[in-house]
Amino acid sequence: MIGRRGFRLALTLLAAATLGLAACNKPTVTDRPPEPGDIAVAKIDSETVWASDVRAEAVAQGAIGPGEPLDPTSDLFARTLEEVIDQRLLAKAARAKGLDKSVAAQRRLQAAEDRILGDMLVENTIDRDIDEKAIKEHYDEQVKLSKQSEEIRTRVILLKSKDDADNVLKAVQGGSLFEAMAMERSIDQTTRFSGGDMGYFTTDIMPQAYKGVLSTAKVGDTVGPVQTDGGWAILRVEDRRPEQLPSLEEERPIIMRYLIYNQVAGLLDGLRKGAKVEKLIEKSALSDTAGQEPANAPAHAAEDSASAGEEASASASSGGKGKPVALSVPMGEAKGGSSKLIGTARGG
């Protein structure tokens, strides 16, 4: 029975990442560090494994981000090194059997090479040092487009029956502290220990049963009981305010990803215009096989095709328990480097 590490390795091989480590020809054995300050961390026969090889594998697996350091004394480094050694041994055994000479292997190696070179082009072309003015202009534009609604901060006491709710309401109206009654009587385990505090939320996402009583309630009003899916609720309005938009600093990482995405999309658009691209299959035929992967496709192809078609709206929370604010950017959450950006740009 294979262990967890062996299972993960098998998945990696199926995803063709392992074959990507093998060049089309036999690797050149060298003891010269491939990067300045690189250190040798293992030897497989006469082949050296470098710390940069282990870090690259950790990035490929999504364990660390591009450019993020990996401590050679860490458990993650040790685990990844073992996987790199296993990959090298399997690739060496595959070459010994002549598997690297097969048509299937050559096609998969070519696909891996294309992906790597495409990523490198993006890394060397796009400008990650986005101008502060461009960030501020995009933020201001999105703020103007945002539709702000009202946020209400509310406390709740949730009871099992209407009789229980009526009794608690009378107690509150008679002078009992709302917060104390919530802690003592509420069956809502999420809010009872905070005195029933639900934080801020907007009227468009509150339960339908709450809207009728909260839409006109003033700060300090206690209303209810109203029936909900969980029981009978008594509500008190603590505050009302305009919806709070996320700050520029909160939105900065999202905006930077969007601006980088635009650069990648522009690069791809220019390349497509400069090339003769002819699709040899009808659109109807493509739609008939939508969502299906060919039997010989790499395991990662399904993930890439899904990310290519994503349409994401990156937005920040409005604070408390409010709804997301529509500071939208038409891009996916780009994790793991430029290949994700390429896939999303192609999806446009």
Side-chain angles (χ1 to χ4, degrees):
M1 181 176 181
I2 64 173
R4 182 171 62 180
R5 182 163 61 85
F7 180 70
R8 289 182 60 198
L9 177 59
L11 292 180
T12 306
L13 284 168
L14 288 173
T18 301
L19 289 175
L21 288 172
C24 294
N25 300 313
K26 297 180 71 173
T28 301
V29 178
T30 176
D31 284 326
R32 298 183 63 181
E35 296 182 5
D38 215 346
I39 59 172
V41 293
K43 279 267 191 183
I44 305 172
D45 295 330
S46 58
E47 183 182 357
T48 302
V49 178
W50 299 91
S52 60
D53 298 328
V54 180
R55 188 178 68 249
E57 177 62 21
V59 172
Q61 293 182 10
I64 61 174
E68 186 178 340
L70 179 59
D71 184 357
T73 64
S74 67
D75 290 340
L76 175 60
F77 188 96
R79 290 196 304 271
T80 309
L81 173 59
E82 292 299 324
E83 293 176 4
V84 170
I85 291 172
D86 288 345
Q87 287 172 359
R88 298 282 179 91
L89 289 172
L90 286 166
K92 184 176 181 180
R95 290 191 200 95
K97 289 180 176 291
L99 297 180
D100 58 323
K101 305 300 182 184
S102 69
V103 173
Q106 292 297 318
R107 291 185 66 186
R108 293 173 70 176
L109 288 168
Q110 182 62 54
E113 181 181 347
D114 289 347
R115 182 179 297 276
I116 292 168
L117 289 174
D119 289 351
M120 291 182 68
L121 175 65
V122 170
E123 291 166 6
N124 285 273
T125 302
I126 64 173
D127 179 14
R128 296 182 184 274
D129 297 323
I130 304 297
D131 181 71
E132 183 65 26
K133 182 181 178 183
I135 297 174
K136 181 67 164 56
E137 287 177 350
H138 184 81
Y139 175 80
D140 290 342
E141 179 185 356
Q142 293 300 317
V143 168
K144 290 178 182 178
L145 294 174
S146 298
K147 295 181 179 179
Q148 288 180 267
S149 57
E150 186 182 42
E151 291 181 330
I152 305 176
R153 182 182 177 188
T154 308
R155 293 185 186 270
V156 64
I157 304 174
L158 188 65
L159 291 308
K160 290 183 179 179
S161 68
K162 188 173 186 304
D163 287 341
D164 289 344
D166 287 336
N167 291 333
V168 170
L169 179 60
K170 289 178 182 177
V172 171
Q173 291 172 338
S176 296
L177 287 175
F178 193 99
E179 295 88 334
M181 294 300 294
M183 296 182 70
E184 180 182 342
R185 300 291 303 276
S186 181
I187 62 172
D188 183 6
Q189 300 303 316
T190 303
T191 62
R192 62 174 296 195
F193 296 110
S194 60
D197 192 358
M198 294 193 295
Y200 286 95
F201 56 88
T202 52
T203 55
D204 57 338
I205 66 165
M206 71 173 62
Q208 188 64 35
Y210 291 0
K211 288 186 179 181
V213 293
L214 290 180
S215 59
T216 58
K218 297 181 176 61
V219 174
D221 286 354
T222 299
V223 294
V226 293
Q227 189 172 15
T228 70
D229 292 339
W232 289 82
I234 300 169
L235 306 161
R236 188 176 76 184
V237 178
E238 295 288 313
D239 189 24
R240 304 182 79 109
R241 70 182 187 187
E243 186 177 10
Q244 303 297 293
L245 295 176
S247 68
L248 173 60
E249 290 308 309
E250 291 172 324
E251 287 293 294
R252 184 184 300 277
I254 299 172
I255 294 173
M256 288 188 67
R257 284 195 294 273
Y258 170 62
L259 295 176
I260 290 172
Y261 162 86
N262 272 353
Q263 293 183 46
V264 176
L267 172 63
L268 284 170
D269 185 58
L271 292 173
R272 281 178 173 266
K273 288 179 179 177
K276 183 179 180 180
V277 179
E278 184 180 2
K279 295 182 180 179
L280 304 179
I281 188 169
E282 295 294 334
K283 186 176 181 181
S284 58
L286 288 173
S287 63
D288 289 341
T289 57
Q292 300 179 15
E293 288 295 327
N296 64 344
H300 64 263
E303 177 185 350
D304 290 341
S305 62
S307 68
E310 285 178 350
E311 180 180 355
S313 177
S315 55
S317 174
S318 60
K321 297 187 179 180
K323 70 166 186 175
V325 178
L327 283 183
S328 301
V329 284
M331 61 174 291
E333 286 294 331
K335 295 179 181 178
S338 57
S339 61
K340 184 76 171 183
L341 286 169
I342 291 176
T344 309
R346 286 174 181 158

